[in-house]
Structure formats: C-alpha cells, structure tokens
Amino acid sequence: MATETSGVTALTVTNASVPGRLDNVSLSLTPGMLAGLVGPNGSGKSTLLQVAAGLLSSTGQVAWAGREIGEILVPERGLLASWVPQEARFEFGFSVRSVVAQGRFASGDDERGVDEALQMFDLAGLSHRPVNRLSGGERERVLLARAMVTGARLQLWDEPLAPLDPKHGLEVLKHARRVTRDGATLLLSLHDLRVAYCLDFVVVLHEGRLRAAGPPEAVLTPELLFEVFGVRAKQTAGLTLELP
C-alpha cells in the first residue's frame, strides 16, 4: 500500500488541457504511491504523462513535491523525476551498460547502482551488447533500468509492460512496488485491467477527460468499464471480463 505522508504531494497536475488531446484534467499523487493510468487508445494517457513530466506544454499547472515545474531548472529535473517513453528507439549502437549509466548523468556520472540495475532487469548478460541489436522487450528493460538508476523519487513510465513477456512484466511490477515502498511515487500507463488491481491508485481517462480516480476496487466498477471500454465485467475479488 502507499506510504501515508500527511500534507505532502509527490505530483500535482491541475486543470491540464492540451487541445484535441486532454481536457481540464487534475491529478494528485502522494509519496509512496503506485498508480496507473488506464483508458482506451487515444484517451490521453501518454499526453497526461508527458505533461506530468514537463515534456509537453499545457494550460494548467504541474508541481513536483509542491514545487511548480516551471521553477525547477532542467538539470535539477533529472534528479527529481525520471521518464520512460512508450517506444524504446535507439539510433546508435551504444552498449547496454553505457545507456543504463546515462541515468546517473545528473548525479555526476558516478555510475552508482548501475550494476545492481543491470542485475535487477536481467541485463547483466547483455551489458556489452549494442542496444540497437536488442529485441523490443530487452530495449524496454534497458530504459526501465536507466530510469531506476536515477534514484528519482518521481517515476513516470508510459506503457512499460506492453513489450515484456509475462516473466519480466511481473518482475517489473515487483521492482515498482519495491521503490514505492521506499517512498518513491510511480505513475505508469497500462492496458491490462487485471494489473490495475495490483496498484494503489487508478486513474481512468476517456476521450481526454478524467472519468474516475481512486483505489482500483472503488474505481473499476462494471458500469464504468462498460461506459469506457464497452465490455461487461463482474467485479469479484478481481476482475472477470465477459466478451459479447
């Protein structure tokens, strides 16, 4: 479960709008929270993550740990937050280890935790391989390792589980839970609603609007799932979908 820290927010998005993509969305996450964005394709999940990361301009405000993002200098942002894009593209043949070590750039390239991250994401045996010769799932694990090695207390991951096989997907969720138990805040987008039940907090987006936010058991009601996804579901201990 999320760590309770009275009066503190790790991420606050207030009235964020991006024309044609996001409409007046507000969101607040506390330290220690493992949260997920769910919604159909084109619902605004990636856009909201990019806004939260300071990578996409919007109306409204974004704050990290109570500080307006516009007041945080770019070098410091690399210490406070880490971003994993939806697609792992590498144009150059840098080694796996060198790419993971890039996560320590904002900390002075001290390579602290790099070897541990390679082990954590099952990359030690690939450490000298060029990243542009990896499979999609392997490239995704490189990006996740690079994000984790930053030590940033705010982690923003865009569909990190999509390219992964079940084994590595479960391991990534385990690592995500570990860092949030240590006080970090992690927001990821995902499509598997069964995974959403493993999270502390779920945000449902539809057509660029916020439809619901809260604990998964309270948010993922059969009525909402039908309205947003067009599927009927039984809500028992977990989630059972009924195909038409």
Side-chain angles (χ1 to χ4, degrees):
M1 294 299 292
T3 301
E4 294 293 335
T5 308
S6 178
V8 176
T9 57
L11 170 67
T12 305
V13 178
T14 307
N15 300 328
S17 293
V18 177
R21 299 167 65 179
L22 210 62
D23 185 8
N24 198 37
V25 173
S26 295
L27 170 68
S28 182
L29 302 180
T30 58
M33 184 175 281
L34 178 55
L37 296 173
V38 300
N41 291 334
S43 60
K45 299 186 299 296
S46 294
T47 299
L48 180 56
L49 279 169
Q50 291 175 51
V51 168
L55 300 174
L56 181 65
S57 298
S58 74
T59 60
Q61 296 178 324
V62 176
W64 298 347
R67 299 173 61 189
E68 293 293 333
I69 193 171
E71 300 175 358
I72 304 174
L73 297 178
V74 172
E76 188 181 2
R77 293 186 189 186
L79 296 171
L80 299 177
S82 189
W83 160 257
V84 175
Q86 186 175 130
E87 295 185 35
R89 295 181 178 178
F90 297 106
E91 301 297 332
F92 302 99
F94 297 116
S95 71
V96 167
R97 193 181 197 287
S98 66
V99 173
V100 173
Q102 290 171 3
R104 298 302 299 170
F105 175 77
S107 300
D109 287 327
D110 59 10
E111 297 200 4
R112 180 178 178 183
V114 171
D115 291 326
E116 291 82 352
L118 291 170
Q119 291 286 346
M120 183 185 301
F121 288 94
D122 195 19
L123 295 168
L126 303 173
S127 61
H128 298 296
R129 185 176 297 183
V131 288
N132 58 0
R133 296 184 183 178
L134 299 178
S135 69
E138 290 167 341
R139 293 196 302 270
E140 186 69 22
R141 282 158 33 215
V142 170
L143 291 183
L144 290 166
R146 184 175 68 181
M148 196 74 81
V149 83
T150 65
R153 307 304 281 171
L154 177 61
Q155 297 280 337
L156 303 166
W157 300 354
D158 195 0
E159 293 194 28
L161 305 179
L164 304 181
D165 58 41
K167 173 180 179 291
H168 289 109
L170 290 172
E171 288 179 349
V172 165
L173 287 174
K174 178 183 70 176
H175 300 320
R177 175 58 70 189
R178 180 182 60 80
V179 297
T180 56
R181 283 176 177 162
D182 289 339
T185 301
L186 199 156
L187 177 63
L188 72 159
S189 60
L190 69 157
H191 284 291
D192 192 335
L193 296 177
R194 295 166 297 181
V195 173
Y197 274 91
C198 301
L199 309 180
D200 301 318
F201 193 84
V202 174
V203 177
V204 182
L205 295 174
H206 186 220
E207 296 181 347
R209 295 183 174 91
L210 178 68
R211 291 298 308 272
E217 295 81 3
V219 167
L220 298 176
T221 64
E223 294 79 13
L224 183 66
L225 291 173
F226 182 70
E227 291 176 14
V228 172
F229 295 97
V231 296
R232 298 190 181 277
K234 295 179 180 178
Q235 194 173 35
T236 55
L239 179 70
T240 303
L241 299 180
E242 293 184 328
L243 298 179

